[in-house]
């Protein structure tokens, strides 16, 4: 017998509906099986669907499971902010302070409310791995570009989800990339990456300091994710590990635009506190109702 469950679909990293990254959120997913969760994620056909459960760790305010249409993720950025937004809006987290603790596959993730109505998550710790010269040659072929930044080598950054972070010479070169699907699949298997995160600087830092793109495999194709919290968290960790090569500092942080090629206008802010990056953005609810499942 289907059960009625509270459900929201939110647009993350935007204040304007349809310009960010959509997320489906089941607010009370108790008694749903793994098979049911995966089936629903496949049905929504969004990049991620989240399922809220009671926490198993007493330090957490809730537990979340994150599913793509094909598999479960231990962590993802826009689902973290979008789920917290949905829970706050529904009044489920009405007793929390300005800090929220989410339990997920990588452990506990802290989320902060900001004074201007956004939410920010603390980037998990990351591990870094340089690419071999052979992999860099494969990367250029996979991206159909000769515009890799000569001074900043690509690196694999792992924070539960594993992004190959690639810097282009500038934002225009980033936007011009048109990947080769066959070479992309070969490279991803070679590197064992979940996706490739591209970034480049805008002249004068406008309309944002960095342009970012996130390319992921899905159903045998290369798909672009509109706005990606985990990819931006990996970029932020790598920039910090490189000693802020653009003259930025932990005091400044920087702004990001993502989704341009998809005619989206995702916006987020990266700031650093206690030597840790925080990924900040707004969310807006587009659908609010119930799910019979």
């Amino acid at each position: 017998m289907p059960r009625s469950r509270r459900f929201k679909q939110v647009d993350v990293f935007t204040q304007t509906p349809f310009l960010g990254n959509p997320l489906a959120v089941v607010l009370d997913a108790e008694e749903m099986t793994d098979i049911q969760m995966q089936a629903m994620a496949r049905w929504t056909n969004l990049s991620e669907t989240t399922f809220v459960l009671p926490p198993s760790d007493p330090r957490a305010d809730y537990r979340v499971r994150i599913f793509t249409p094909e598999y479960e993720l231990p962590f993802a950025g826009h689902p973290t902010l979008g789920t917290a937004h949905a829970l706050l809006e529904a009044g489920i987290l009405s007793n929390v302070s300005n800090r929220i603790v989410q339990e997920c596959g990588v452990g506990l993730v802290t989320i902060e409310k900001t004074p201007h109505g956004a939410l920010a998550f603390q980037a998990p710790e990351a591990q870094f791995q340089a690419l071999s010269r052979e992999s860099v040659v494969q990367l250029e072929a996979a991206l159909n570009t000769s515009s890799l930044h000569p001074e900043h080598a690509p690196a694999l950054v792992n924070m539960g989800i594993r992004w190959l972070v690639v810097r282009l010479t500038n934002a225009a070169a980033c936007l011009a990339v048109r990947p080769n699907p066959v070479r992309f699949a070969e490279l991803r298997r070679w590197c064992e990456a979940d996706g490739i995160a591209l970034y480049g600087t805008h002249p004068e830092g406008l309309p944002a300091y960095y342009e970012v793109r996130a390319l992921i495999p899905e159903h045998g194709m290369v798909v672009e994710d509109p706005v990606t919290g985990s990819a931006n968290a990996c970029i932020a960790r790598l920039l910090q590990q490189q000693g802020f090569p653009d003259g930025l500092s932990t005091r400044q942080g920087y702004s990001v635009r993502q989704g341009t090629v998809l005619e989206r206008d995702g916006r987020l802010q990266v700031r650093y506190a206690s030597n840790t990056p925080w990924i900040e953005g707004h969310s807006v609810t587009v659908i609010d109702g119930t799910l019979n499942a």
Side-chain angles (χ1 to χ4, degrees):
M1 185 79 178
R3 171 181 160 181
S4 180
R5 303 175 189 273
R6 288 171 292 179
F7 171 83
K8 290 179 184 282
Q9 188 163 311
V10 302
D11 210 7
V12 185
F13 292 122
T14 183
Q15 297 184 72
T16 305
F18 316 128
L19 293 184
N21 198 355
L23 172 75
V25 184
V26 179
L27 295 168
D28 41 10
E30 296 95 327
E31 301 175 7
M32 288 187 76
T33 66
D34 291 6
I35 292 173
Q36 287 175 312
M37 291 181 188
Q38 187 64 77
M40 183 183 170
R42 193 177 302 117
W43 175 77
T44 66
N45 202 34
L46 298 176
S47 57
E48 284 97 11
T49 299
T50 63
F51 301 86
V52 180
L53 298 159
S56 58
D57 189 315
R59 296 170 294 174
D61 295 298
Y62 62 93
R63 180 163 68 97
V64 67
R65 296 184 66 182
I66 306 167
F67 284 80
T68 77
E70 297 186 39
Y71 49 84
E72 185 173 6
L73 292 172
F75 169 75
H78 101 274
T80 293
L81 294 188
T83 301
H85 164 85
L87 289 166
L88 287 165
E89 186 179 66
I92 296 172
L93 296 180
S94 57
N95 295 325
V96 300
S97 64
N98 284 333
R99 283 208 166 189
I100 301 159
V101 179
Q102 170 185 282
E103 180 184 352
C104 60
V106 296
L108 302 182
V109 177
T110 302
I111 302 161
E112 278 189 347
K113 302 177 187 177
T114 70
H116 47 281
L119 294 171
F121 70 85
Q122 186 177 28
E125 295 292 335
Q127 294 78 47
F128 308 95
Q129 179 183 338
L131 282 192
S132 66
R133 179 57 197 164
E134 182 180 359
S135 296
V136 172
V137 172
Q138 286 186 309
L139 175 61
E140 290 178 323
L143 297 180
N144 273 326
T145 185
S146 58
S147 297
L148 301 189
H149 200 292
E151 297 176 9
H152 305 291
L156 284 159
V157 185
N158 185 359
M159 57 174 58
I161 187 169
R162 185 176 166 98
W163 286 97
L164 173 54
V165 177
V166 181
R167 178 157 182 165
L168 283 300
T169 51
N170 52 44
C174 180
L175 292 170
V177 166
R178 297 295 181 269
N180 179 305
V182 174
R183 294 293 185 88
F184 183 94
E186 292 172 353
L187 174 71
R188 194 185 72 82
R189 285 193 297 270
W190 177 273
C191 296
E192 297 182 336
D194 293 292
I196 299 179
L198 313 177
Y199 73 107
T201 52
H202 278 283
E204 308 299 327
L206 296 172
Y209 201 90
Y210 290 117
E211 186 76 30
V212 169
R213 296 177 67 188
L215 307 177
I216 55 177
E218 192 173 291
H219 306 304
M221 300 181 293
V222 180
V223 176
E224 183 158 354
D225 196 50
V227 205
T228 319
S230 61
N232 276 285
C234 286
I235 292 169
R237 283 287 190 190
L238 183 60
L239 287 169
Q240 184 179 26
Q241 194 259 354
Q242 293 173 338
F244 299 102
D246 295 308
L248 300 172
S249 72
T250 55
R251 295 188 303 276
Q252 293 171 289
Y254 57 88
S255 58
V256 169
R257 183 178 75 172
Q258 189 179 346
T260 307
V261 173
L262 302 176
E263 298 187 18
R264 309 287 179 89
D265 189 22
R267 300 299 179 112
L268 60 94
Q269 188 73 27
V270 176
R271 57 182 172 83
Y272 292 82
S274 300
N275 212 35
T276 299
W278 290 76
I279 313 302
E280 177 183 325
H282 287 85
S283 297
V284 59
T285 299
V286 178
I287 299 172
D288 192 349
T290 57
L291 168 74
N292 294 319

